[in-house]
Amino acid sequence: MKTSQLLGVWLVEDVFVEDIETQFRTYTSGVHPRGVLMLHESGRMTGLITPRNQNSILSQSDMAKAYKTTLAYSGRFWFARPDKFSTFVDVATYPHWIGTEQVCHYCLTGETLTMHTAPTTGPCGEKLVGSVSFKREKPDFAISEKFGPFTHGA
């Protein structure tokens, strides 16, 4: 597989954290979250994941819940090897991610991209792996017809 096959826009299908021993899954952004991953040919990636059903933010509690269930980060990415994707994070929802390298292992099957984190230790000592699956976004030519072709810098 050519890594160039991964470039483009991907829509989130599923997100969970799995306990390696028990195989129990926690859906951190709920079932069927919304999200997008953009891998640009320039070497910049941007990702955003949110719950599908978000409430209006009417209180500090609502704001805290929105923050807790949203993940966004961006940075320069590279393919360390044919199944390993790394990003040097320079913008993130979580400030402690800025300046770090986030590493994912990936698998491309048809139009589905699946990414897994390396195992980490959870708050109770359990071994966890994060997983996100995406479907490639197909171009919407109706939008181009309505608004005209995209022209850079216009």
Side-chain angles (χ1 to χ4, degrees):
M1 174 189 60
K2 295 179 183 176
T3 55
S4 62
Q5 291 177 283
L6 299 174
L7 299 178
V9 179
W10 299 86
L11 302 177
V12 171
E13 292 278 302
D14 201 12
V15 179
F16 58 85
V17 175
E18 184 173 72
D19 183 308
I20 294 171
E21 185 178 313
T22 66
Q23 297 182 333
F24 180 79
R25 292 180 175 180
T26 302
Y27 294 86
T28 54
S29 293
V31 178
H32 307 297
R34 294 178 195 221
V36 64
L37 170 67
M38 291 184 253
L39 300 173
H40 193 268
E41 64 188 15
S42 68
R44 165 74 53 186
M45 69 74 63
T46 300
L48 170 67
I49 300 170
T50 67
R52 177 158 301 278
N53 299 313
Q54 294 176 292
N55 295 324
S56 296
I57 296 177
L58 303 174
S59 67
Q60 292 286 43
S61 175
D62 292 339
M63 188 174 293
K65 183 177 181 183
Y67 178 78
K68 184 177 179 182
T69 58
T70 297
L71 172 64
Y73 71 98
S74 182
R76 304 294 293 175
F77 75 91
W78 64 96
F79 299 101
R81 59 180 200 236
D83 67 339
K84 187 177 173 184
F85 170 95
S86 293
T87 303
F88 181 78
V89 179
D90 56 18
V91 177
T93 312
Y94 307 130
H96 66 280
W97 279 27
I98 296 171
T100 67
E101 180 183 351
Q102 296 297 313
V103 178
C104 289
H105 296 272
Y106 67 87
C107 177
L108 179 61
T109 307
E111 295 295 302
T112 301
L113 173 63
T114 305
M115 301 178 112
H116 300 280
T117 65
T120 61
T121 302
C124 299
E126 68 277 31
K127 295 289 182 199
L128 305 172
V129 173
S131 179
V132 184
S133 60
F134 305 89
K135 287 281 187 197
R136 185 181 299 279
E137 183 176 53
K138 299 203 182 328
D140 186 343
F141 296 106
I143 290 175
S144 296
E145 290 171 11
K146 182 175 181 179
F147 297 106
F150 173 77
T151 55
H152 189 69

